[in-house]
Amino acid sequence: MRFLSGLSLSFAASPDARRTPARGALAAACMLATGLVLSHPALSQERAMDLGTSLAFIAHAEHAAEARHAHVAIAIVDAGGNLVAFQKMDGTQLGSVRLAILKAKTAVNYLRPTADMEHALNAGNYMIATLPDTLPAGGGYPIMANGKLIGALGLSGGEGETDATLAKEAVTRGVQTIK
């Protein structure tokens, strides 16, 4: 662990004592209570899907949709599949709301564009249709930053290929702006 002084602290006791979960928990509680623990530097350098970042991805998706005269619902989820931001453009069918969210969650859960899953299903890989809480239809796209998954974009409102193209374009442009 990292401390204010930059020194690491270890509790070197007998080998048996180091293996005791209670001892580790007590040590962590003492460090937290004294306020000595800071966040690890690597954590602060990693990108997370916060509201500002998610709104930027939504703006890219909306711009791409407007350029094609499409009306879509756009969902952004974090790496855990939790909804961070959502927008439904005027004129978008109501059914697209849940579909956009489910596409984003599917892209996070399986670390791939949902269009890939749709193509596999169409090619005869019917097992994909049995996966729980999964929508194998184009429009979901994982968002990677520095080689790590930070979330996904889900987009629904057009045909599958249109949704897939718009989602890929929005994520590609969004990732370029957050680096």
Side-chain angles (χ1 to χ4, degrees):
M1 294 191 155
R2 194 172 266 300
F3 296 87
L4 286 173
S5 64
L7 300 174
S8 292
L9 176 66
S10 65
F11 289 88
S14 68
D16 291 335
R18 276 184 260 144
R19 289 187 209 133
T20 306
R23 183 169 178 88
L26 178 62
C30 290
M31 287 185 283
L32 288 172
T34 59
L36 294 175
V37 178
L38 292 179
S39 64
H40 191 277
L43 294 177
S44 63
Q45 293 173 0
E46 290 187 20
R47 168 70 66 177
M49 185 55 70
D50 58 18
L51 182 59
T53 302
S54 64
L55 292 176
F57 278 99
I58 285 177
H60 288 293
E62 184 177 25
H63 178 73
E66 287 173 345
R68 290 180 179 77
H69 306 289
H71 303 278
V72 296
I74 308 156
I76 304 291
V77 298
D78 63 16
N82 303 297
L83 185 64
V84 178
F86 177 83
Q87 179 173 312
K88 182 178 87 58
M89 296 172 67
D90 292 340
T92 304
Q93 60 194 9
L94 293 178
S96 291
V97 170
R98 291 198 62 202
L99 296 178
I101 295 168
L102 189 52
K103 287 177 184 184
K105 289 182 177 194
T106 300
V108 161
N109 287 337
Y110 297 99
L111 299 173
R112 64 185 43 113
T114 55
D116 292 354
M117 298 175 81
E118 179 180 11
H119 296 150
L121 181 62
N122 290 338
N125 187 352
Y126 301 117
M127 184 273 312
I128 290 173
T130 68
L131 298 173
D133 300 319
T134 300
L135 182 58
Y141 210 88
I143 301 171
M144 308 290 285
N146 300 321
K148 297 193 185 245
L149 178 73
I150 63 167
L153 181 145
L155 190 144
S156 180
E159 299 296 321
E161 289 301 317
T162 300
D163 289 352
T165 301
L166 293 173
K168 181 178 181 180
E169 181 180 329
V171 169
T172 301
R173 287 190 178 163
V175 168
Q176 291 171 352
T177 63
I178 65 169
K179 287 189 176 184

